[in-house]
Amino acid sequence: KRQADRMKRTEITQEYVLNSLKSVADRCMGERLDSSGANKSLELLGKHLKLFTEKVEQSGSLTLNVITGIEHAPADD
């Protein structure tokens, strides 16, 4: 709720941030190439789009069967 209120108050939305990053990337790749600025803005856009992930997200279930009461043979000396 507070985040939504802050977005309304500042007018900084997800769309605004993405458009700004795109604009920065476009300008940095213009006549006077700024590879550092272009790379950073494209990296942030790529992360938003999950083009490269730092974690692997998995879902599903896992069943473990615990076996108890197994006797081990004595070790040979």
Side-chain angles (χ1 to χ4, degrees):
K1 167 114 175 78
R2 291 189 321 198
Q3 187 175 12
D5 290 343
R6 183 174 41 244
M7 264 190 346
K8 285 180 185 176
R9 196 172 57 251
T10 62
E11 298 181 6
I12 298 175
T13 63
Q14 183 178 26
E15 185 176 337
Y16 169 82
V17 172
L18 293 173
N19 286 332
S20 296
L21 286 170
K22 181 183 179 302
S23 177
V24 168
D26 290 342
R27 279 182 289 155
C28 289
M29 291 189 294
E31 282 183 32
R32 296 182 57 199
L33 178 65
D34 174 9
S35 60
S36 174
N39 285 339
K40 186 60 179 181
S41 57
L42 291 172
E43 175 188 356
L44 291 170
L45 287 168
K47 282 183 179 181
H48 171 74
L49 296 171
K50 297 185 180 182
L51 295 178
F52 18 84
T53 56
E54 296 173 11
K55 293 187 216 178
V56 175
E57 296 179 23
Q58 295 182 332
S59 62
S61 62
L62 175 67
T63 303
L64 297 175
N65 294 321
V66 178
I67 302 172
T68 60
I70 297 177
E71 295 183 28
H72 298 284
D76 293 333
D77 288 328

